[in-house]
Amino acid sequence: MNIDLAITKAATGPETTELAAKALKTIASDPNSRSAFLNSHLTQELMGRAATRYVAADRAALLARLQVLAWKGYQVGTELVGEAATDPQVLTQIIAEYLGLIKSMATMTWPRETPSLNFDLSNLGLLVSPALAENNLRKICTAAAETGHEVVLSMEGAALVEDILGIFHRVHRDFPHLGITVQAFRERTVSDLDTLLNSGARLRLVKGVYDESESQILASGALRDQRYVELAQRIAESGCPLMLATHDHHIINAFRSMGAWPETVEVEMLHGVRPAMASNLREQGISVRIYAAYGSNFFLHFLHRLAEYPENVLVALADFAEPSRLTKGEYS
């Protein structure tokens, strides 16, 4: 083997890829990095050129994107990007935007169900107080219930899990259309499911992306994938609606091998990630939901997309150099 090629392969092997993903997650969660992004129009503009693949710039761009997907036969969902909001003015703007989005979508015609709404409770004031986050969640759920929108809470880092679950259970009693995300890599999820399955709520299953104590999570790799499939099967057998939020075809194939695909299970994929795979699954008769985020505070969302597949850093650089690439590879 050519020496230069051997060095290149060693430098881009599994260990390097894992460390690159860890670095991207560290930058994404660093408050100073996030602050620098929010306070620099130049940084936002530069990153925004490549982030367009994953994040719509504003509500108008989002709604256009969702309409195209919905009429092609996909279920759709959305989130206003952002997290860790504590400023009262910012929180007011976030709630107003969600209420405005719900009203805008209510004026449009959707071929199937109306788009689902996702968000982090830390973007609704959880870092200020659980009571504030719960109050804001109830405002959104009230508006969503009037127009038939489903709401699905995201799951966050270990320090917030208990508060998120508590808020979910209290609010779900009044708003049955509220669902929640569970993380396969978190050890406590196995026992948390006992209560969640009794609620009958829609559950959104993710692998998990946070760097946390090894005693609390499963390491990435085969064990985490196996846990994901086991939890998916358990949820599906319970009859609770399930979103398999994954782009991993190995996991989807493993789930499919267990029997006929249940009508209560859909695959959720992020906009811009493996569109050909999404199209293929839909053509096979599997319900596929495309989750399209929007907004200017895309720092965390964008870096997490790169961290999931560090090779996407090269894709992002190519998109930056040639923006016309972003119009290619559309969903069929």
Side-chain angles (χ1 to χ4, degrees):
M1 178 183 292
N2 180 281
I3 293 179
D4 289 338
L5 179 59
I7 293 174
T8 299
K9 287 192 172 182
T12 57
E15 181 180 0
T16 300
T17 299
E18 184 174 345
L19 288 173
K22 183 175 182 179
L24 287 165
K25 292 177 186 177
T26 300
I27 296 170
S29 62
D30 178 57
N32 292 326
S33 298
R34 185 183 304 139
S35 178
F37 167 81
L38 292 173
N39 292 313
S40 171
H41 293 297
L42 176 60
T43 302
Q44 292 176 35
E45 180 183 350
L46 292 175
M47 291 181 66
R49 295 183 190 178
T52 301
R53 178 178 293 274
Y54 310 106
V55 185
D58 52 32
R59 191 194 303 180
L62 167 77
L63 292 175
R65 186 172 287 185
L66 293 182
Q67 280 272 286
V68 169
L69 291 167
W71 286 101
K72 286 186 175 182
Y74 296 96
Q75 305 286 18
V76 291
T78 187
E79 173 184 6
L80 176 66
V81 287
E83 74 291 325
T86 56
D87 183 280
Q89 183 176 357
V90 172
L91 287 168
T92 298
Q93 292 171 347
I94 290 170
I95 303 306
E97 175 56 34
Y98 271 114
L99 297 180
L101 174 64
I102 291 170
K103 287 183 179 180
S104 294
M105 291 192 292
T107 66
M108 304 170 70
T109 301
W110 301 95
R112 292 175 179 77
E113 63 183 58
T114 54
S116 62
L117 301 175
N118 292 53
F119 44 76
D120 293 338
L121 280 179
S122 69
N123 210 30
L124 300 191
L126 183 57
L127 299 186
V128 177
S129 76
L132 176 61
E134 181 172 336
N135 183 55
N136 286 332
L137 174 61
R138 288 180 179 275
K139 290 179 182 178
I140 294 174
C141 283
T142 298
E146 294 174 354
T147 53
H149 293 279
E150 186 175 46
V151 178
V152 182
L153 296 180
S154 297
M155 187 53 72
E156 305 184 55
L160 300 179
V161 171
E162 198 65 35
D163 282 334
I164 293 171
L165 288 172
I167 292 170
F168 164 76
H169 286 298
R170 289 192 296 273
V171 177
H172 181 263
R173 286 195 289 267
D174 298 323
F175 298 97
H177 66 291
L178 178 65
I180 191 168
T181 301
V182 291
Q183 300 162 319
F185 83 149
R186 197 177 298 286
E187 290 287 3
R188 64 171 291 168
T189 298
V190 176
S191 57
D192 286 338
L193 274 183
D194 293 337
T195 305
L196 290 170
L197 292 178
N198 288 332
S199 73
R202 182 185 293 275
L203 300 181
R204 176 174 177 262
L205 182 62
V206 300
K207 284 188 180 182
V209 298
Y210 295 91
D211 274 331
E212 295 179 359
S213 168
E214 293 182 2
S215 64
Q216 298 181 24
I217 64 172
L218 284 173
S220 60
L223 286 178
R224 186 181 295 188
D225 292 351
Q226 180 181 348
R227 172 69 59 81
Y228 187 103
V229 175
E230 291 172 351
L231 293 177
Q233 186 69 15
R234 182 180 170 193
I235 297 169
E237 290 175 351
S238 77
C240 287
L242 169 63
M243 292 178 175
L244 294 177
T246 181
H247 309 106
D248 190 331
H249 66 279
H250 295 295
I251 281 182
I252 293 173
N253 288 339
F255 180 79
R256 294 179 73 174
S257 69
M258 295 181 176
W261 190 276
E263 292 184 2
T264 56
V265 179
E266 66 183 31
V267 175
E268 181 194 84
M269 301 181 70
L270 295 167
H271 188 277
V273 180
R274 306 193 72 176
M277 175 180 168
S279 300
N280 182 259
L281 289 172
R282 184 182 58 78
E283 289 169 0
Q284 294 176 41
I286 294 175
S287 178
V288 178
R289 183 179 301 269
I290 305 299
Y291 172 42
Y294 78 110
S296 59
N297 189 9
F298 56 81
F299 184 75
L300 180 72
H301 185 87
F302 180 47
L303 290 188
H304 275 176
R305 300 295 74 75
L306 302 186
E308 288 165 353
Y309 300 98
E311 295 85 350
N312 281 346
V313 173
L314 296 178
V315 174
L317 291 172
D319 289 343
F320 177 85
E322 185 49 70
S324 65
R325 286 166 44 90
L326 297 168
T327 64
K328 299 177 181 178
E330 296 179 350
Y331 294 84
S332 61

PDB file of all heavy atoms in Angstrom, residues 36-46:
ATOM      1  N   ALA A  36     -20.607  33.301  21.177  1.00  0.00           N
ATOM      2  CA  ALA A  36     -19.833  33.909  20.089  1.00  0.00           C
ATOM      3  C   ALA A  36     -20.602  33.812  18.775  1.00  0.00           C
ATOM      4  O   ALA A  36     -20.599  34.754  17.966  1.00  0.00           O
ATOM      5  CB  ALA A  36     -18.481  33.221  19.968  1.00  0.00           C
ATOM      6  N   PHE A  37     -21.272  32.686  18.559  1.00  0.00           N
ATOM      7  CA  PHE A  37     -22.071  32.504  17.350  1.00  0.00           C
ATOM      8  C   PHE A  37     -23.223  33.514  17.312  1.00  0.00           C
ATOM      9  O   PHE A  37     -23.456  34.184  16.299  1.00  0.00           O
ATOM     10  CB  PHE A  37     -22.619  31.081  17.304  1.00  0.00           C
ATOM     11  CG  PHE A  37     -23.696  30.871  16.278  1.00  0.00           C
ATOM     12  CD1 PHE A  37     -23.385  30.669  14.942  1.00  0.00           C
ATOM     13  CD2 PHE A  37     -25.039  30.878  16.647  1.00  0.00           C
ATOM     14  CE1 PHE A  37     -24.375  30.483  13.995  1.00  0.00           C
ATOM     15  CE2 PHE A  37     -26.031  30.696  15.712  1.00  0.00           C
ATOM     16  CZ  PHE A  37     -25.706  30.497  14.384  1.00  0.00           C
ATOM     17  N   LEU A  38     -23.943  33.634  18.416  1.00  0.00           N
ATOM     18  CA  LEU A  38     -25.113  34.511  18.458  1.00  0.00           C
ATOM     19  C   LEU A  38     -24.741  35.979  18.310  1.00  0.00           C
ATOM     20  O   LEU A  38     -25.552  36.787  17.842  1.00  0.00           O
ATOM     21  CB  LEU A  38     -25.876  34.299  19.767  1.00  0.00           C
ATOM     22  CG  LEU A  38     -26.568  32.941  19.924  1.00  0.00           C
ATOM     23  CD1 LEU A  38     -27.142  32.799  21.321  1.00  0.00           C
ATOM     24  CD2 LEU A  38     -27.654  32.773  18.870  1.00  0.00           C
ATOM     25  N   ASN A  39     -23.519  36.327  18.701  1.00  0.00           N
ATOM     26  CA  ASN A  39     -23.099  37.729  18.671  1.00  0.00           C
ATOM     27  C   ASN A  39     -22.268  38.097  17.449  1.00  0.00           C
ATOM     28  O   ASN A  39     -21.750  39.203  17.363  1.00  0.00           O
ATOM     29  CB  ASN A  39     -22.307  38.064  19.944  1.00  0.00           C
ATOM     30  CG  ASN A  39     -23.174  38.029  21.190  1.00  0.00           C
ATOM     31  OD1 ASN A  39     -24.265  38.589  21.192  1.00  0.00           O
ATOM     32  ND2 ASN A  39     -22.702  37.368  22.234  1.00  0.00           N
ATOM     33  N   SER A  40     -22.148  37.176  16.516  1.00  0.00           N
ATOM     34  CA  SER A  40     -21.343  37.448  15.323  1.00  0.00           C
ATOM     35  C   SER A  40     -22.179  37.220  14.067  1.00  0.00           C
ATOM     36  O   SER A  40     -22.479  36.080  13.705  1.00  0.00           O
ATOM     37  CB  SER A  40     -20.107  36.548  15.288  1.00  0.00           C
ATOM     38  OG  SER A  40     -19.438  36.668  14.054  1.00  0.00           O
ATOM     39  N   HIS A  41     -22.565  38.285  13.403  1.00  0.00           N
ATOM     40  CA  HIS A  41     -23.321  38.157  12.160  1.00  0.00           C
ATOM     41  C   HIS A  41     -22.495  37.458  11.082  1.00  0.00           C
ATOM     42  O   HIS A  41     -23.030  36.702  10.261  1.00  0.00           O
ATOM     43  CB  HIS A  41     -23.761  39.536  11.664  1.00  0.00           C
ATOM     44  CG  HIS A  41     -24.772  40.193  12.548  1.00  0.00           C
ATOM     45  ND1 HIS A  41     -26.021  39.670  12.769  1.00  0.00           N
ATOM     46  CD2 HIS A  41     -24.711  41.335  13.291  1.00  0.00           C
ATOM     47  CE1 HIS A  41     -26.706  40.448  13.586  1.00  0.00           C
ATOM     48  NE2 HIS A  41     -25.924  41.466  13.923  1.00  0.00           N
ATOM     49  N   LEU A  42     -21.176  37.696  11.102  1.00  0.00           N
ATOM     50  CA  LEU A  42     -20.316  37.062  10.105  1.00  0.00           C
ATOM     51  C   LEU A  42     -20.313  35.549  10.281  1.00  0.00           C
ATOM     52  O   LEU A  42     -20.451  34.796   9.305  1.00  0.00           O
ATOM     53  CB  LEU A  42     -18.886  37.605  10.214  1.00  0.00           C
ATOM     54  CG  LEU A  42     -17.855  36.953   9.272  1.00  0.00           C
ATOM     55  CD1 LEU A  42     -18.269  37.154   7.812  1.00  0.00           C
ATOM     56  CD2 LEU A  42     -16.461  37.541   9.528  1.00  0.00           C
ATOM     57  N   THR A  43     -20.174  35.094  11.529  1.00  0.00           N
ATOM     58  CA  THR A  43     -20.177  33.653  11.795  1.00  0.00           C
ATOM     59  C   THR A  43     -21.506  33.033  11.392  1.00  0.00           C
ATOM     60  O   THR A  43     -21.554  31.962  10.776  1.00  0.00           O
ATOM     61  CB  THR A  43     -19.906  33.380  13.283  1.00  0.00           C
ATOM     62  OG1 THR A  43     -18.649  33.952  13.648  1.00  0.00           O
ATOM     63  CG2 THR A  43     -19.872  31.887  13.560  1.00  0.00           C
ATOM     64  N   GLN A  44     -22.601  33.692  11.728  1.00  0.00           N
ATOM     65  CA  GLN A  44     -23.925  33.189  11.369  1.00  0.00           C
ATOM     66  C   GLN A  44     -24.079  33.095   9.849  1.00  0.00           C
ATOM     67  O   GLN A  44     -24.632  32.123   9.324  1.00  0.00           O
ATOM     68  CB  GLN A  44     -25.002  34.090  11.954  1.00  0.00           C
ATOM     69  CG  GLN A  44     -25.073  34.043  13.474  1.00  0.00           C
ATOM     70  CD  GLN A  44     -26.094  35.018  14.030  1.00  0.00           C
ATOM     71  OE1 GLN A  44     -27.129  35.259  13.434  1.00  0.00           O
ATOM     72  NE2 GLN A  44     -25.789  35.611  15.164  1.00  0.00           N
ATOM     73  N   GLU A  45     -23.581  34.112   9.146  1.00  0.00           N
ATOM     74  CA  GLU A  45     -23.695  34.116   7.690  1.00  0.00           C
ATOM     75  C   GLU A  45     -22.873  32.999   7.065  1.00  0.00           C
ATOM     76  O   GLU A  45     -23.341  32.278   6.179  1.00  0.00           O
ATOM     77  CB  GLU A  45     -23.244  35.463   7.132  1.00  0.00           C
ATOM     78  CG  GLU A  45     -23.342  35.546   5.616  1.00  0.00           C
ATOM     79  CD  GLU A  45     -22.831  36.860   5.056  1.00  0.00           C
ATOM     80  OE1 GLU A  45     -22.566  37.788   5.846  1.00  0.00           O
ATOM     81  OE2 GLU A  45     -22.675  36.959   3.830  1.00  0.00           O
ATOM     82  N   LEU A  46     -21.642  32.835   7.548  1.00  0.00           N
ATOM     83  CA  LEU A  46     -20.765  31.817   6.982  1.00  0.00           C
ATOM     84  C   LEU A  46     -21.307  30.407   7.237  1.00  0.00           C
ATOM     85  O   LEU A  46     -21.380  29.574   6.329  1.00  0.00           O
ATOM     86  CB  LEU A  46     -19.359  31.959   7.550  1.00  0.00           C
ATOM     87  CG  LEU A  46     -18.581  33.223   7.145  1.00  0.00           C
ATOM     88  CD1 LEU A  46     -17.255  33.285   7.873  1.00  0.00           C
ATOM     89  CD2 LEU A  46     -18.360  33.243   5.635  1.00  0.00           C
TER      90      LEU A  46
END
